[in-house]
Amino acid sequence: MEPRPPGVPTHDVGESLGHSSLTRRGLMTLAGAGMTLGALGESTAQAATQPKSEGSAASPSTPGDASGADQASTATPRILSGDRYPIGMWWPPHPFATNDARYREIAEAGFTFVLGGNYLNDVPISQWALAAAERAGLDFIPVDSELSVLTHTFDAGGAPDAPFMLSDAEAREGVRRALPRYPGPAFAGINLFDEPSSPKFATLAKYVAAMRELAPEALPYVNLLPSNDITYAREFVRVVAPSMVSFDRYPLLLGGDDPNWFDNLQDVRTVGLEAGIPYWVFIQSIKYAGHRMPTAAELRWQVGICLAYGYKGIQYFTYWTPDPARGEAFEPALVTVEGERTPLWYAAKDVNRALQAAGTQILPLTSQSVGVTAVASPPAGLPAFVPDTWVQAATGAPVVIGQFAAEPDAATRTLIVTNYSHDASAHATLTFGADVTRVELTELPGQRPPRTVSNPTRIRLAAGGFSVVRLTRG
């Protein structure tokens, strides 16, 4: 999620990186690491001899209970298992603006969950935000200050006498201590790490496993670096065994669009499908160093393209504007530093309404294919459209077509059709297979209901716009 200089858009696998942009409050947390470890050592010793108490924020089983372990390993975090499409935002209101009115404003804009940040680093303010999120009908994924010291400063699972190394029991105890700090139905998980380098994966695996055991309904949240090396995401999934895979990359550069964005989208899609887990993405909603301010059409275009690739969660970078002291030339995002809504807030509200309507339709489905029409040389990671028995032909302006189905041989198929251009409207004509007996088109998701149309059918898309098509055979 942290901004990356325009000249460094990718990550080399194995490169050792520290956690970027540590906040002032984070430095204070690091200063208290000794006290944290002292408490951990005492608690871990007790945990080795005592069973968990009744009513703790833990799994239904105690350690060593095989039936409980099986249940935890197969459980799906709540935020990944509902029928509400996850729409998240990072950099929420700062502590002095953390109140019911601000969180109702977030919900009004169509967001469904909030990621902690913007100095919401200590437990009391995170609890305050959690309560405000609950009253607004939002989910909340906090950054736990004590757990962050452990995940960022120490490794886990290695030789016990190695420096800055925690045992498996100490890592698990850190999770056990953190979970009860966030009671209530709005708690959706904990943000364990943002943009880890690959050497950190073995450590994160310990924390993800502990959360899966102790709180199977909570998401062990990790967000990956941008990378055009698929090995990075594959290694993350292999080593960490996450519940989902998420990454950030911001394609709207000052000099044009990032040509490698599609390739990153395709790599994470491939890895998610291989593992059978949802894949999430961040979109750009701010201007900062090397990146231009998105227009409403560019905001919609990012969402539509990601939907066509099958992303099951979309997150905004950022909601609130980071304060100038952080550097990186941030300009107003959806909400200014002073708390004023910008035109992009209203654009996001419209986009999120369409995203929720379209995204809900693909949540239970699996991406079958993605391709672009009428482009002689598509960018890397965006395949050329290949006709099949569902969509036999596509003519007119370039569009990106994503196909979805519950099973490859299902009698119904859902399409996300997105304008390839964020600058101009597009008209495209799609011809469907002869055995397609019903075609339903939702031209403006969230605004108009689906309507039955003929085969072939002409689709009109605004700049960056997307539509939903449902096909039925037999």
Side-chain angles (χ1 to χ4, degrees):
M1 290 180 288
E2 296 291 349
R4 293 177 64 73
V8 190
T10 62
H11 166 62
D12 293 326
V13 176
E15 175 187 1
S16 178
L17 292 176
H19 186 61
S20 57
S21 191
L22 188 65
T23 65
R24 292 188 297 273
R25 199 178 293 263
L27 288 172
M28 293 174 65
T29 300
L30 282 177
M35 182 177 65
T36 297
L37 286 179
L40 269 177
E42 179 181 348
S43 299
T44 303
Q46 293 174 353
T49 58
Q50 297 179 13
K52 286 196 292 288
S53 61
E54 295 286 340
S56 65
S59 69
S61 66
T62 55
D65 183 338
S67 61
D70 289 343
Q71 179 180 349
S73 66
T74 58
T76 300
R78 178 179 56 80
I79 198 170
L80 302 179
S81 58
D83 58 3
R84 182 167 75 164
Y85 188 93
I87 306 175
M89 45 80 85
W90 190 60
W91 218 246
H94 56 73
F96 296 107
T98 299
N99 54 50
D100 285 356
R102 287 299 184 183
Y103 274 67
R104 286 195 300 268
E105 184 178 60
I106 293 168
E108 181 187 349
F111 293 97
T112 68
F113 75 94
V114 175
L115 287 163
N118 200 1
Y119 309 109
L120 271 65
N121 294 334
D122 56 48
V123 173
I125 191 59
S126 291
Q127 291 174 338
W128 188 269
L130 178 68
E134 180 180 337
R135 289 188 289 269
L138 297 164
D139 288 323
F140 186 71
I141 300 177
V143 175
D144 183 81
S145 54
E146 182 179 294
L147 198 56
S148 288
V149 172
L150 303 183
T151 59
H152 289 77
T153 312
F154 302 89
D155 290 326
D161 58 346
F164 288 89
M165 182 65 65
L166 300 179
S167 68
D168 289 2
E170 287 171 325
R172 182 185 182 280
E173 178 64 11
V175 172
R176 191 198 66 78
R177 287 168 57 87
L179 290 169
R181 292 196 275 265
Y182 308 103
F187 174 61
I190 294 178
N191 188 345
L192 295 175
F193 211 103
D194 179 41
E195 298 186 334
S197 56
S198 51
K200 201 69 180 180
F201 292 168
T203 291
L204 291 174
K206 303 299 181 181
Y207 291 94
V208 168
M211 280 194 65
R212 185 171 288 120
E213 176 201 349
L214 297 171
E217 291 191 354
L219 177 66
Y221 181 95
V222 178
N223 177 68
L224 296 181
L225 286 156
S227 174
N228 288 111
D229 184 347
I230 194 172
T231 306
Y232 171 61
R234 275 204 176 112
E235 188 72 358
F236 171 72
V237 169
R238 184 188 70 80
V239 174
V240 178
S243 301
M244 65 86 178
V245 56
S246 171
F247 85 103
D248 59 71
R249 188 176 193 131
Y250 308 117
L252 306 175
L253 307 180
L254 290 177
D257 296 343
D258 179 355
N260 296 312
W261 183 59
F262 293 100
D263 196 34
N264 212 157
L265 288 174
Q266 180 72 314
D267 282 351
V268 175
R269 170 185 178 269
T270 298
V271 170
L273 292 175
E274 288 172 349
I277 57 176
Y279 42 102
W280 289 10
V281 66
F282 273 87
I283 63 168
Q284 178 185 337
S285 55
I286 193 170
K287 178 181 180 182
Y288 69 99
H291 295 73
R292 68 182 185 270
M293 179 64 72
T295 65
E298 288 170 336
L299 201 65
R300 186 168 56 239
W301 174 78
Q302 292 178 82
V303 165
I305 294 293
C306 293
L307 280 176
Y309 274 80
Y311 279 80
K312 300 293 183 69
I314 289 179
Q315 306 151 94
Y316 282 62
F317 173 84
T318 65
Y319 179 81
W320 203 273
T321 304
D323 63 78
R326 296 183 63 86
E328 301 193 78
F330 288 110
E331 296 194 12
L334 275 60
V335 178
T336 67
V337 173
E338 295 78 19
E340 298 295 325
R341 301 183 191 185
T342 70
L344 209 58
W345 185 94
Y346 296 93
K349 181 179 179 180
D350 290 340
V351 169
N352 287 344
R353 177 173 56 179
L355 169 56
Q356 189 60 237
T360 300
Q361 295 192 50
I362 69 167
L363 265 183
L365 307 178
T366 300
S367 176
Q368 303 296 313
S369 67
V370 62
V372 64
T373 71
V375 175
S377 298
L382 180 55
F385 165 74
V386 177
D388 59 23
T389 58
W390 287 97
V391 185
Q392 291 187 336
T395 58
V399 294
V400 178
I401 302 174
Q403 294 196 30
F404 302 85
E407 301 289 344
D409 58 353
T412 60
R413 189 154 288 204
T414 298
L415 313 181
I416 300 291
V417 183
T418 300
N419 190 344
Y420 181 61
S421 171
H422 50 59
D423 298 323
S425 60
H427 291 180
T429 299
L430 303 185
T431 302
F432 308 109
D435 56 350
V436 172
T437 57
R438 184 177 178 85
V439 181
E440 295 173 278
L441 171 65
T442 306
E443 261 183 316
L444 296 174
Q447 296 184 51
R448 295 180 186 173
R451 59 187 177 91
T452 302
V453 295
S454 61
N455 181 13
T457 189
R458 192 171 192 233
I459 298 178
R460 297 174 292 274
L461 297 167
F466 56 90
S467 294
V468 181
V469 179
R470 181 177 169 83
L471 307 177
T472 304
R473 283 175 170 165

